[in-house]
């Protein structure tokens, strides 16, 4: 059993404090949904946990089984068992999916002998067209294909914890169902020698949670968790909107636009 513990996390970007003290504990096999309006700090939370450059942490810790991830570069956080499915997956021209996975397996000391077969089996399971497996990573894929591709990587790498930043954005209903069911399966079934996946699922909408059943729902407003409950909290949100939790104030800033440029990739 692994534990991801976020304690008193305060962080800023571009001189502006966005996270104002976040506390969260996720254990293996659990699904925690973090819901919040635009600009609440959801993507910032995922970026700070994973070590995206440009963010300053002022206080707090992010502990993976007691080890403070904030002291590690991004690649070591991934190696330690963290995985992020980003809201807008990057296109990486010239790098194939299997090449990227082979590097990731090698970094984890895993054999790549049966990688091609594993990729093919997982592609079939998630309904990712086999004809697209030879493309450069995410290049010229539709929104749904990108998220299937990202979910395929998540399933094969079998991390301890996954952060899904709006897995549901840019997806049609079928892709949403396939991706969220695959993640749900990973939370219920441990890989050989491993543990079931723990998930922090960031989303605006309840529809993701109809397939990916959260054990706990947290509402993030202005960089703080203002409410925590069970799945019924997401239902309440669907009914009443965020206004009940934001005190009637307008939503935060407009969401940053999609980017697919290489400079958006995490530092290695
Ligand atoms: P959410 O994902 O909840 O919509 P974000 O975490 O993306 O919110 O953004 C929270 C706030 O931080 C917003 O006001 C956004 O404009 C700001 N922000 C995020 N990233 C940057 C950045 N790189 N530079 C400046 N402001 C940023
Ligand atoms: Mg976001």
């Amino acid at each position: 059993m692994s534990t991801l513990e976020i304690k008193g996390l305060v962080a800023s970007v571009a001189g502006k404090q966005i996270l104002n003290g976040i506390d969260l504990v996720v254990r293996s096999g659990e699904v925690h949904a973090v819901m919040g309006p635009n600009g609440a700090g959801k993507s910032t939370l995922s970026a700070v946990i994973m070590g995206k450059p440009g963010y300053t942490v002022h206080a707090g810790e992010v502990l993976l089984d007691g080890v403070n991830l904030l002291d590690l570069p991004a690649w070591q956080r991934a190696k330690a068992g963290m995985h992020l499915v980003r809201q807008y997956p990057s296109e990486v021209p010239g790098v194939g999916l299997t090449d990227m996975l082979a590097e990731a397996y090698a970094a984890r000391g895993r054999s790549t002998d049966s990688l091609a077969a594993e990729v093919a089996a997982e592609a079939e399971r998630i309904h990712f067209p086999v004809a697209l497996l030879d493309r450069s990573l995410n290049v010229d894929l539709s929104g749904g294909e990108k998220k299937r591709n990202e979910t395929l990587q998540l399933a094969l790498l079998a991390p301890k914890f996954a952060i899904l930043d709006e897995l549901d954005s840019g997806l049609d209903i079928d892709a949403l169902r396939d991706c969220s069911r695959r993640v749900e399966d990973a939370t219920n079934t441990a890989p050989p020698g491993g543990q079931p996946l723990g998930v922090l699922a960031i989303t605006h909408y309840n529809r993701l949670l109809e397939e990916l059943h959260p054990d706990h729902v947290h509402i993030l407003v202005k960089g703080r968790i203002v409410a925590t409950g069970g799945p019924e909290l997401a239902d309440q949100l669907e009914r009443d909107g965020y206004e009940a939790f934001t005190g009637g104030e307008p939503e935060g800033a407009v969401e940053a636009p999609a980017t697919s440029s290489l400079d958006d990739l995490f530092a290695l």
Side-chain angles (χ1 to χ4, degrees):
M1 158 81 81
S2 282
T3 307
L4 176 68
E5 192 175 359
I6 302 164
K7 286 165 82 172
L9 191 60
V10 177
S12 64
V13 61
K16 188 173 150 197
Q17 191 166 309
I18 307 295
L19 302 182
N20 296 309
I22 306 281
D23 294 287
L24 261 180
V25 181
V26 184
R27 295 184 180 82
S28 296
E30 291 181 350
V31 177
H32 288 245
V34 174
M35 306 182 77
N38 280 334
K42 303 184 300 296
S43 293
T44 301
L45 177 62
S46 67
V48 171
I49 295 172
M50 294 306 296
K52 185 175 181 180
Y55 295 80
T56 307
V57 174
H58 302 284
E61 295 178 309
V62 178
L63 303 173
L64 173 56
D65 294 330
V67 174
N68 192 2
L69 294 177
L70 300 179
D71 295 335
L72 306 177
W75 67 272
Q76 282 188 6
R77 300 183 197 198
K79 198 175 164 191
M82 299 297 300
H83 188 99
L84 173 65
V85 176
R86 289 186 302 151
Q87 186 169 359
Y88 306 111
S90 289
E91 298 185 3
V92 191
V95 177
L97 172 67
T98 312
D99 301 332
M100 191 280 291
L101 285 169
E103 291 290 335
Y105 270 43
R108 290 160 175 75
R110 278 168 63 180
S111 163
T112 54
D113 291 351
S114 56
L115 177 59
E118 289 174 34
V119 170
E122 195 59 56
E124 190 174 337
R125 182 166 176 185
I126 192 101
H127 300 137
F128 183 76
V130 175
L132 301 181
L133 286 174
D134 293 331
R135 288 233 186 125
S136 288
L137 207 56
N138 285 325
V139 171
D140 294 332
L141 298 187
S142 71
E145 287 164 350
K146 282 182 182 169
K147 295 286 171 102
R148 285 185 205 267
N149 188 336
E150 295 290 315
T151 306
L152 178 157
Q153 294 164 40
L154 167 65
L156 287 175
L157 291 174
K160 291 178 180 161
F161 291 98
I163 302 175
L164 314 176
D165 191 1
E166 302 206 22
L167 180 66
D168 45 0
S169 81
L171 281 188
D172 61 31
I173 298 285
D174 289 350
L176 176 63
R177 190 194 51 231
D178 289 344
C179 290
S180 47
R181 281 193 187 162
R182 184 65 190 88
V183 175
E184 172 78 11
D185 284 352
T187 66
N188 291 325
T189 312
Q195 307 157 19
L197 179 71
V199 172
L200 198 57
I202 291 169
T203 183
H204 272 305
Y205 300 114
N206 210 0
R207 57 179 193 162
L208 172 70
L209 307 178
E210 285 162 11
E211 297 286 350
L212 179 62
H213 306 290
D215 305 289
H216 305 277
V217 175
H218 312 275
I219 310 238
L220 182 74
V221 176
K222 292 182 180 167
R224 274 183 223 283
I225 290 175
V226 296
T228 287
E232 75 287 346
L233 193 54
D235 296 332
Q236 184 192 341
L237 200 59
E238 187 87 342
R239 239 186 6 254
D240 304 340
Y242 284 114
E243 211 171 295
F245 300 95
T246 59
E249 291 179 36
E251 289 187 3
V254 176
E255 217 157 342
T259 65
S260 60
S261 63
L262 281 175
D263 56 1
D264 188 43
L265 285 175
F266 287 9
L268 293 174

